[in-house]
Amino acid sequence: MDLRQRIVAPACLVLLFTMTAVPFSFITWQKTRTLLTFNDNRSYQRLIRAKGVIAIAMLWGMLGLMFGYVSGFFALSMFSGLSATLIAGMLVIETWLDSRLLRIDHEHVTDSLLGFTKRERLKRSWDQK
């Protein structure tokens, strides 16, 4: 790999990652702000903010891992292990946060329920056509 490829490839990756991560971070933060309006309880709002910040950190962390692997900072085995650890940790934390939120507000809508509702709505719209 010559010098030009070593400079251009990471620069393109940074641009690509920024073009994907910034909009997804914005959408995540908008969702967080929307969830904050549902309940005035300070504990509920603190957990919702934590959930939003963790989701954004997960997004940037995964993109950073991908950038590190593509740039050659670490091997595929290291990338796979770190990615699996990050994803598993995120799932455990999300589940714990959702259970705490449901204790505070019994009407809290979890991400899995939102996804299920969207799928059911799509199924109904396809059945109507």
Side-chain angles (χ1 to χ4, degrees), residues 4 9 14 18 32 61 83 86 90-91 97 110 113 115 119 126:
R4 185 172 151 204
V14 168
T18 304
T32 300
S83 296
L86 189 62
M90 177 69 174
L91 290 173
L97 283 172
T110 62
L113 185 58
R119 283 191 301 275
W126 289 338

Side-chain angles (χ1 to χ4, degrees), residues 42-85:
R42 289 183 71 205
S43 297
Y44 179 87
Q45 291 190 349
R46 182 175 43 91
L47 290 171
I48 289 293
R49 279 191 194 97
K51 191 173 177 178
V53 168
I54 289 169
I56 292 170
M58 168 75 170
L59 172 68
W60 284 91
M62 284 302 295
L63 291 175
L65 285 175
M66 285 186 245
F67 179 74
Y69 170 68
V70 171
S71 298
F73 290 124
F74 41 81
L76 179 61
S77 60
M78 178 67 92
F79 169 71
S80 301
L82 289 173
S83 296
T85 303

Side-chain angles (χ1 to χ4, degrees), residues 15-30:
L15 181 64
L16 176 69
F17 290 157
T18 304
M19 288 174 54
T20 57
V22 170
F24 282 126
S25 297
F26 179 76
I27 290 168
T28 302
W29 191 247
Q30 288 298 322

Side-chain angles (χ1 to χ4, degrees), residues 7 22 37 52 64 94 100 110 114 119 124 126:
I7 293 173
V22 170
T37 63
E94 285 280 329
R100 294 283 307 259
T110 62
L114 281 174
R119 283 191 301 275
R124 276 192 235 122
W126 289 338

